[in-house]
Amino acid sequence: MLAAARAAFAERGFDGATIRGIATAAGVDPALVHHYFGSKDQLFLAAIEAPADPADLLPAVLAGGRDRLGESVVRLLLTVWDGPMQPAALALVRSAVGNEWGAKLLREFLVTQVLRRVVGTLGLPPHEAEVRGALVASQLVGLVMGRYVLRVEPLASAGPDWLVATIGPTVQRYLTGDVDLPD
Amino acid sequence: MLAAARAAFAERGFDGATIRGIATAAGVDPALVHHYFGSKDQLFLAAIEAPADPADLLPAVLAGGRDRLGESVVRLLLTVWDGPMQPAALALVRSAVGNEWGAKLLREFLVTQVLRRVVGTLGLPPHEAEVRGALVASQLVGLVMGRYVLRVEPLASAGPDWLVATIGPTVQRYLTGDVDLPD
């Protein structure tokens, strides 16, 4: 089931894949998939071996309010990555860079499970939400790469407070600041 | 010689490796290394199969002046990556994420060949230059990952002008804006 799910999510994207289609591909009844995994979100997180369910972490991000959303997102990212989930998170990134499927699955995870949830709280039109989410992704993925993969100093050994104070404003500008939309 | 150079640059970093040491490890005379590769910079670029020599591209980045340095850096990055060098550049990133040596070599390339040159034009104290360079790296690497590896929309299909106008200000803030230094 998980192999069929990975294939479906990579080929059709999160929105395009269905539990019914995945069940058919795996040769099982859709009810069995629901029984084991619950929702499509849960199945997706299991399929990509996500280190955490972003839905569980969302309240911590929103608690600081709209004007501190950028800082809160950076702080949460660092909390997850500096903790015991780091190896699983790193495996996701390695898989994304190593092969086309991995890239599609990490993109779907970022877009549908992380960015949509965070940007979704701002009540923006869909296109603007997509644009702002992608800009946020460009900074967060770069922070992850710089701190945990390439280990560029001082990103690698700096404490979270400095990173939150320095990179948080960038994420905040992308979320709520003055940003033109592309054509 | 290139294998010995890769090993030396990954183990000791660009600054720590010497042409003499690399020649000894390869069992050749240092004069032969100089003859084939010229400077240590050139040997390093050959060893990591760099798609371009950043020194050649620097004048284009500086031509816009200090206040447009952020935009110029983003524009140059897009020019290189949207052109024929993309496969070679992508190979560097894949190698960096795939193994520890690749990560060290890409970090050394970024820090010593790209960031030091760009930030070096600002006349900053060494620690501040390192900090600002690392912050710039966090945004540029994220842009590369978002546009070329994960292909997050609209980063993947947007024209360069929009990316320059939107992400350039972030790079500019990291280069010349109000940024605290970590302890």
Side-chain angles (χ1 to χ4, degrees):
Chain A
M1 276 192 268
L2 289 176
R6 269 189 295 274
F9 288 125
E11 279 168 19
R12 297 164 197 275
F14 178 81
D15 295 329
T18 62
I19 287 197
R20 176 172 295 274
I22 289 164
T24 303
V28 301
D29 193 88
L32 195 71
V33 180
H34 279 293
H35 173 74
Y36 275 113
F37 298 102
S39 67
K40 187 162 83 165
D41 285 288
Q42 295 297 325
L43 174 60
F44 178 62
L45 295 174
I48 66 167
E49 300 177 46
D53 183 346
D56 296 339
L57 305 171
L58 195 65
V61 170
L62 302 181
R66 180 190 170 100
D67 294 343
R68 304 192 62 180
L69 197 52
E71 291 188 6
S72 302
V73 168
V74 174
R75 187 170 299 282
L76 178 63
L77 177 94
L78 295 171
T79 303
V80 170
W81 274 86
D82 287 343
M85 299 182 226
Q86 185 180 133
L90 211 42
L92 259 185
V93 173
R94 290 197 200 287
S95 164
V97 178
N99 63 75
E100 195 68 24
W101 266 30
K104 286 180 180 171
L105 291 173
L106 180 55
R107 181 184 64 216
E108 293 299 307
F109 171 73
L110 263 174
V111 171
T112 70
Q113 306 295 310
V114 180
L115 302 171
R116 256 188 216 170
R117 288 206 162 93
V118 173
V119 183
T121 63
L122 298 172
L124 303 170
H127 178 56
E128 183 176 348
E130 184 192 28
V131 169
R132 290 186 183 275
L135 290 168
V136 170
S138 80
Q139 177 63 82
L140 296 185
V141 171
L143 173 56
V144 163
M145 289 288 293
R147 182 172 171 89
Y148 304 102
V149 177
L150 301 178
R151 305 191 62 75
V152 176
E153 289 299 353
L155 300 179
S157 55
D161 289 347
W162 178 74
L163 290 165
V164 167
T166 310
I167 292 180
T170 294
V171 177
Q172 186 71 39
R173 178 170 82 86
Y174 291 156
L175 286 169
T176 63
D178 194 15
V179 165
D180 283 336
L181 301 186
D183 301 328
Chain B
M1 277 190 269
L2 290 175
R6 271 189 293 276
F9 287 125
E11 279 168 19
R12 296 164 196 275
F14 178 81
D15 295 329
T18 63
I19 288 198
R20 177 172 295 275
I22 289 165
T24 303
V28 301
D29 193 89
L32 194 72
V33 180
H34 278 293
H35 173 74
Y36 274 112
F37 298 102
S39 67
K40 187 164 85 166
D41 285 289
Q42 295 297 323
L43 174 61
F44 177 61
L45 294 174
I48 66 167
E49 299 179 46
D53 182 345
D56 296 339
L57 305 171
L58 194 64
V61 170
L62 302 182
R66 178 189 173 101
D67 292 344
R68 306 192 61 181
L69 197 53
E71 291 187 6
S72 302
V73 168
V74 174
R75 188 171 297 283
L76 178 64
L77 177 93
L78 296 170
T79 303
V80 170
W81 273 86
D82 286 344
M85 299 182 227
Q86 186 181 130
L90 212 40
L92 259 185
V93 173
R94 289 197 200 288
S95 164
V97 178
N99 63 76
E100 193 69 24
W101 266 30
K104 286 182 179 171
L105 291 173
L106 180 56
R107 180 184 65 215
E108 293 297 309
F109 172 73
L110 264 174
V111 171
T112 71
Q113 305 295 308
V114 180
L115 302 172
R116 256 189 218 172
R117 287 206 162 93
V118 173
V119 183
T121 65
L122 297 172
L124 303 170
H127 179 56
E128 183 177 349
E130 183 191 31
V131 169
R132 291 186 182 274
L135 290 168
V136 170
S138 81
Q139 176 63 84
L140 297 184
V141 171
L143 172 57
V144 163
M145 289 289 294
R147 182 172 172 87
Y148 304 103
V149 177
L150 301 178
R151 304 192 62 76
V152 175
E153 290 297 356
L155 300 179
S157 55
D161 289 349
W162 178 73
L163 291 166
V164 168
T166 310
I167 292 180
T170 295
V171 178
Q172 186 71 40
R173 179 169 81 86
Y174 290 158
L175 286 169
T176 63
D178 196 16
V179 165
D180 284 335
L181 301 187
D183 303 328

